[in-house]
């Protein structure tokens, strides 16, 4: 069976098309449509003239477009490197909150410390089984759901789950993926406990550890971590710092061989498992989300992390559990699939704890050693301060909307994703009286090595709808509002289809900009224009991350004055994770959630009144028909 699956994976990868380069005129026309209603009239006139000059026959746009088409012919995926650098590797902000999304597991109830370690041992076995499927290329191929369902999707991102490492750089990070040479396959994980790091070999004498053996090793690790005399400073906190600051600290660390050896073991591990101390906080959804995003800062578990590693599984002794991931190697859906597999493994099959007599003699886990000098100590203190500021600044609100879910939306013959996006636009408009550049990630995995493009959800049609819903003079009838709602949902759906088929504008514009840079051209005016710069400040950054197991995903805002809004639509409810920064007085997650709730109820009432009116009309017309027959 696995041979058949492997052949299918190979065949599908061979036949997936390359990401297209959209026609230049189409992208420029769409760009103007996307920004016209978001900027002042004077500014738009200026932008329109700049765009027309850029796209004119024989103009700069045509030169860049021709070069981009040449690049497409020569590469597997023309946008991949451009996008990865722009979205992640060139970004200098700290990974926690700003970049790394998290998956929050259901709150676990552990009877005692050993129970928590049993859960961790079982989780590690689940991870090993999932990794074995990936290594054997035996994962079933994903097929698109939602719009244009049924298309096979590129599986490359899965192969980076446990083999990626993000190295900090002074100007740009480097993402390295270990290719599958048998000698380089990682056979150890790193366990973080009390801010100390330990090597846990998961293969000994060519045989993988079973659950009992893993538990035994975890118990040894927790004992070693309790030894206060051997405790070393919390080096993990350096990975929570800004990327340039961490690169500078790493340069200082690697001057010593001991540190180089320890770093090499972390950089080549399969994943990190963080055994967290109890936080002492009430484990509500919002609190658990915050603890996953930043560990609660240096006073709690903020240093019990290694953010450069793509997968960090967190097992809190108080039952707060989840996954933190570096976003650069893969998208949310890959994180979801892995998390769901592991959770089903933990709760599904009976525990495979072997009898005590069958445990092998195993070499003990090894503590990673570090050498520090006053200079590195200074980096540690500064990183701790900066993490604390980030912790204090994050305003998060996890909100479960229980009145209805995607079943109600489908009954209205509307796309649940488009419906929720329009509701988010209504919420933002209620908060600030305007719409702003909005990002919704759209998968382009229909193409070879496809990652994402952007659905610009702040459409002119969405603006028309939200204005009708917030008009205090009550000048719009229900049927006018319903028409505007359907128009907004159709516009959102059409943009979504354009994005997932490689016809959105953001990747294309980025490609043209990067080609200009490679040709050493003066930066084209279109990319210096105030409108373009503002249009790339995503004040509302959104993503649908649906799950089939009880868990939810969240992340922080991408700009200081913005909101992050991750949502998980279920059949009868919707989970929203809204984040913003306290330092910005113009944003408030609690206010956003309040108006989002109001808006979702108002749209439901509008739909219900529309349905009632349609039913009444149908009844009336049936009555008229009966009278006609009687005559």
């Amino acid at each position: 069976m696995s041979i058949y699956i492997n052949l299918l994976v190979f065949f599908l990868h061979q036949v997936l098309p390359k990401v297209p380069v959209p026609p230049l005129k189409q992208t420029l026309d769409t760009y103007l449509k996307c920004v016209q209603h978001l900027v002042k009239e004077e500014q738009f006139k200026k932008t329109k003239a700049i765009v027309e000059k850029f796209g004119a026959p024989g103009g700069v746009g045509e030169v860049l477009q021709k070069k981009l088409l040449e690049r497409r012919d020569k590469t597997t995926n023309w946008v991949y490197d451009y996008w990865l650098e722009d979205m992640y590797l060139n970004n200098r902000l700290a990974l926690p909150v700003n970049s790394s999304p998290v998956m929050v597991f259901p709150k676990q109830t552990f009877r005692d410390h050993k129970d928590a370690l049993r859960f961790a041992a079982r989780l590690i076995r689940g991870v090993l089984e999932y990794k074995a499927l990936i290594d054997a290329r035996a994962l079933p191929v994903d097929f698109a759901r939602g719009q244009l369902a049924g298309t096979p999707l590129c599986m490359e991102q899965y192969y980076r789950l446990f083999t990626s490492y993000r190295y900090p750089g002074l100007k740009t990070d480097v993402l390295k993926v270990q290719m599958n040479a048998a000698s380089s396959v990682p056979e150890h994980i790193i366990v973080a406990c009390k801010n100390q790091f330990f090597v846990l070999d998961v293969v000994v004498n060519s045989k993988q550890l079973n659950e009992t053996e893993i538990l035994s090793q975890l118990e040894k690790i927790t004992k070693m971590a309790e030894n206060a005399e051997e405790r070393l400073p919390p080096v993990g906190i350096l990975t929570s710092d800004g990327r340039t600051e961490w690169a500078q600290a790493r340069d200082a660390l690697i001057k010593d061989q001991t540190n180089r050896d320890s770093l090499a073991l972390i950089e080549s591990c399969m994943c990190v498992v963080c055994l967290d101390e109890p936080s002492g906080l009430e484990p509500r959804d919002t609190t658990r989300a915050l603890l996953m995003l930043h560990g609660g800062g240096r006073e709690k578990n903020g240093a019990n992390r290694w953010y450069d590693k793509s997968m960090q599984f967190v097992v809190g002794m108080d039952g707060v559990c989840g996954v933190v991931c570096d976003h650069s190697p893969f998208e949310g859906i890959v994180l979801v699939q892995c998390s769901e597999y592991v959770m089903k493994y933990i709760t599904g099959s009976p525990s495979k704890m072997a009898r005590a007599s069958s445990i092998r003699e195993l070499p003990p886990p090894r503590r990673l050693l570090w050498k520090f000098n006053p200079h590195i100590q200074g980096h540690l203190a500064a990183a701790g301060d900066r993490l604390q500021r980030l912790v204090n600044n994050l305003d998060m609100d996890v909100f479960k909307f229980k009145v209805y879910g995607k079943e109600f939306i489908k009954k209205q013959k509307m796309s649940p994703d488009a419906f929720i996006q329009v509701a988010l636009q209504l919420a933002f408009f209620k908060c600030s009286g305007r719409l702003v550049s909005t990002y919704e990630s759209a998968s382009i995995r229909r193409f070879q090595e496809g990652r994402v493009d952007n659905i610009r959800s702040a459409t002119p049609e969405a603006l028309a709808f939200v204005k009708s819903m917030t008009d205090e003079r009550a000048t719009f009838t229900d049927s006018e509002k319903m028409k505007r709602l359907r128009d907004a949902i159709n516009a959102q759906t059409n943009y979504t289809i354009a994005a997932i088929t490689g016809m959105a504008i953001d990747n294309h514009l980025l490609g043209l900009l990067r080609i200009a840079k490679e040709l050493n051209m003066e930066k084209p005016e279109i990319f210096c224009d105030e409108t373009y710069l503002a249009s790339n400040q995503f004040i509302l950054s959104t993503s649908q991350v649906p799950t089939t197991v009880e868990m939810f995903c969240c992340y922080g805002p991408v700009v200081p004055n913005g909101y992050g809004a991750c949502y998980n639509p279920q059949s009868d409810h919707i989970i929203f994770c809204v984040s913003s920064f306290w330092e910005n007085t113009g944003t408030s997650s609690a206010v956003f959630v309040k108006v989002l709730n109001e808006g979702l109820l108002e749209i439901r009432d509008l739909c219900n009144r529309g349905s009632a009116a349609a039913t009444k009309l149908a009844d009336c017309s049936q009555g008229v028909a009966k009278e006609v027959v009687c005559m």
Side-chain angles (χ1 to χ4, degrees), residues 31 35 86 437 439 454 456 506 509-510 527 530-539 558-559:
Y31 169 58
V35 299
D86 181 68
S437 246
Y439 186 100
N454 174 22
R456 288 184 169 263
D506 283 75
L509 290 170
L510 172 65
F527 302 118
E530 197 181 306
T531 301
Y532 179 78
L533 301 174
S535 77
N536 280 287
Q537 288 289 303
F538 295 107
I539 291 172
V558 298
V559 291

Side-chain angles (χ1 to χ4, degrees), residues 199-218:
V199 180
L200 170 57
D201 291 311
V202 290
V203 176
V204 174
N205 297 331
S206 306
K207 187 167 175 272
Q208 229 175 46
L209 269 58
N210 63 34
E211 208 174 306
T212 312
E213 291 169 334
I214 294 168
L215 174 61
S216 159
Q217 296 292 70
L218 292 177

Side-chain angles (χ1 to χ4, degrees), residues 111-129:
R111 293 184 298 278
D112 53 28
H113 193 78
K114 178 141 187 186
D115 207 21
L117 294 184
R118 271 195 206 98
F119 179 90
R122 204 154 164 64
L123 179 145
I124 290 167
R125 271 304 320 163
V127 167
L128 293 176
E129 296 225 347

